Amino acid sequence: MTLNTSATPLLVVLGAGDHHYKAWPLQQLAAQHAILLLDPAPEAWTWPYVAGSWAIDLTDEDLVAGALTSLARDGHIAGITTYMEHHVTLAARLAEDLGLPNPNSAAVHACRDKVLTRQLLDEHDVPSARSFLIDDAQDAADLAAGLGFPVVVKPRGMAGSAGVLRADSAEEVRRAVKTASGATVLGLDAYALPGTLVEEYLDGPEISVECVVLAPHDIRIVAVTRKRLTPEPRFLETGHSVDAADVLLDDPTVRDVAIRAIQALGVGLGVVHIELRLTELGPRVVEINGRMGGDHIPLLVQLATGISLPRAAAELALGRIPDLTPTRQMAAAVQFRYADTPGRIRQELLKARPVQWLERMVWTLPVGATVEAPAQSINDRIAHWVVTGHTADACDERLAVMDALVAVETTEMRALRPVATHHTACVR
């Protein structure tokens, strides 16, 4: 696509992502800014939202920097941002090198590297989990025995809970190390540091805190997300809920841990997504992401509060102060459907008619696609839907309505079992 340089200043966006999840944030950015999209293979769905798009290898930092230098020299670039975990460090480094507003590339790198995250949190006395980078499976088993079972084994630089497993014995630790060391999701292995961690298990419900960092000492918490997870030993998200009236927004310990975590890593600007476990000893950090949350969490925040996290990220990247004034007092929730039996999706059944509170219903895998059960990663998601309501309880009731209206049938593969059987289950 030819770049329209008359539509300047341009906001450079690194990576488009999957249209099922990322069309909305890109649309939010494009509503107020002229977008130059850099992506390895820009897809047609992005074209209505951009002033131009370049096909470029985003793993080649020198190539990307060289491509943007002349544009920046001519004054055509006003800011650089991304909503993709893959590119947060590159976006921060490019903005730094070009003298544009940035979050501090070293801090964003520390968010991507779970080893550095834990080290910095420990140095600043921010409660998290004891964590160790291991050399091999036996080293992991020995460390786990010292920590005490259960433990969590995870990759050093993945996302989406890929390869994260609870282990309750030395043998389970050894198996989990094999899983974690080979795990990837959405091609993140090309952008992540290799390595596997053994961590202290944190018991308690999981939340995320959606923050906007205006300056190192001006951090705003705009929403709290309640998470639903698959049964352990995996920790895949099955849904999220955001309530503008969530009592945790006024919880001083949640606020203190979230803010101190951001300051410990040194993030000075941008939208940050912090995952916490609410343990008996108080909130403890699971991980910190130097970007807005995925899984439609920014959409839930906008539906519940009226605050657009993508637009806030864009304003900060352009050196402006975003308007974070809530304009809604609602709740919103998303639910993801995984298969109950492994196999191929044979038939999808949708018996629901559009209703006012159903914001969207999306099939993310086609008929014929192969899915694992229990799910191995977010790649096994078959469908999702988003609902709104005046309260979180109302959203839960509406998720249950959709649960009864939407179903998927999978057929076990003959290559895996001698007799193919059929299984139909309501969406959960």
Side-chain angles (χ1 to χ4, degrees):
M1 181 180 292
T2 303
L3 175 63
N4 177 14
T5 54
S6 65
T8 52
L10 293 165
L11 176 64
V12 176
V13 176
L14 303 186
D18 178 82
H19 72 283
H20 292 307
Y21 291 93
K22 302 305 185 184
W24 184 81
L26 185 60
Q27 183 183 36
Q28 287 285 296
L29 296 175
Q32 295 184 329
H33 308 288
I35 303 298
L36 171 59
L37 174 66
L38 274 58
D39 188 85
E43 296 185 30
W45 70 264
T46 65
W47 296 350
Y49 307 125
V50 302
S53 57
W54 290 351
I56 192 167
D57 180 3
L58 293 175
T59 65
D60 189 335
E61 185 172 333
D62 292 337
L63 178 66
V64 178
L68 293 179
T69 297
S70 60
L71 271 181
R73 188 183 301 118
D74 295 336
H76 293 308
I77 297 177
I80 301 174
T81 192
T82 185
Y83 44 73
M84 298 288 292
E85 178 73 7
H86 310 56
H87 313 307
V88 287
T89 303
L90 177 59
R93 286 174 179 165
L94 291 169
E96 240 174 27
D97 291 345
L98 295 175
L100 299 170
N102 66 85
N104 176 358
S105 65
V108 175
H109 171 69
C111 292
R112 286 285 298 123
D113 183 350
K114 292 178 174 60
V115 171
L116 286 178
T117 296
R118 296 295 187 211
Q119 289 175 353
L120 289 169
L121 293 176
D122 185 55
E123 288 173 10
H124 291 82
D125 295 320
V126 179
S128 66
R130 290 175 291 168
S131 178
F132 300 89
L133 180 65
I134 57 96
D135 294 322
D136 53 41
Q138 188 56 50
D139 181 31
D142 293 341
L143 280 167
L147 279 173
F149 294 106
V151 296
V152 174
V153 181
K154 63 174 60 173
R156 183 176 184 173
M158 285 294 115
S161 301
V164 182
L165 287 169
R166 168 177 164 156
D168 291 79
S169 67
E171 182 56 34
E172 287 185 5
V173 168
R174 285 187 280 268
R175 290 199 298 267
V177 168
K178 183 177 180 180
T179 298
S181 61
T184 186
V185 65
L186 305 175
L188 262 174
D189 54 305
Y191 302 85
L193 287 169
T196 302
L197 305 180
V198 172
E199 294 192 340
E200 174 188 10
Y201 175 78
L202 302 178
D203 195 12
E206 188 166 317
I207 66 170
S208 62
V209 185
E210 320 310 331
C211 304
V212 178
V213 183
L214 303 180
H217 297 287
D218 190 356
I219 299 169
R220 312 290 176 88
I221 294 175
V222 300
V224 169
T225 304
R226 305 275 185 155
K227 296 179 175 291
R228 299 180 181 91
L229 305 175
T230 58
E232 296 174 2
R234 293 193 180 269
F235 300 87
L236 297 176
E237 290 85 353
T238 62
H240 306 282
S241 178
V242 174
D243 188 344
D246 197 310
V247 295
L248 289 178
L249 287 166
D250 297 318
D251 187 303
T253 56
V254 169
R255 297 182 65 87
D256 177 66
V257 170
I259 289 172
R260 289 201 295 124
I262 292 172
Q263 292 173 337
L265 267 70
V267 180
L269 193 74
V271 177
V272 179
H273 170 77
I274 303 179
E275 297 177 0
L276 306 177
R277 279 265 172 149
L278 304 181
T279 75
E280 291 183 352
L281 299 177
R284 298 175 72 178
V285 177
V286 175
E287 64 180 48
I288 305 172
N289 297 277
R291 52 161 174 82
M292 68 189 80
D295 274 1
H296 292 311
I297 289 174
L299 173 61
L300 302 184
V301 172
Q302 196 270 341
L303 291 170
T305 70
I307 298 171
S308 172
L309 293 177
R311 293 187 183 186
E315 290 296 290
L316 292 171
L318 296 169
R320 305 169 186 167
I321 302 298
D323 183 0
L324 301 176
T325 305
T327 59
R328 298 179 187 174
Q329 281 288 315
M330 295 285 288
V334 63
Q335 190 158 324
F336 305 104
R337 173 60 169 138
Y338 299 93
D340 293 320
T341 57
R344 290 192 177 94
I345 302 171
R346 191 181 73 85
Q347 187 175 0
E348 299 168 346
L349 305 173
L350 176 59
K351 296 175 284 187
R353 293 184 179 182
V355 291
Q356 186 176 6
W357 47 258
L358 179 59
E359 199 279 337
R360 65 178 58 189
M361 163 66 208
V362 178
W363 294 103
T364 51
L365 287 179
V367 171
T370 301
V371 291
E372 296 287 343
Q376 304 298 296
S377 76
I378 60 176
N379 292 332
D380 290 315
R381 288 175 179 170
I382 297 170
H384 67 257
W385 50 90
V386 176
V387 303
T388 58
H390 288 288
T391 65
D393 288 342
C395 287
D396 287 342
E397 292 173 2
R398 289 167 177 176
L399 291 176
V401 170
M402 290 300 297
D403 186 53
L405 290 173
V406 181
V408 61
E409 186 175 278
T410 58
T411 302
E412 292 180 317
M413 294 180 290
R414 292 183 185 274
L416 297 179
R417 293 168 179 81
V419 179
T421 59
H422 303 292
H423 179 78
T424 304
C426 290
V427 180
R428 290 191 276 184

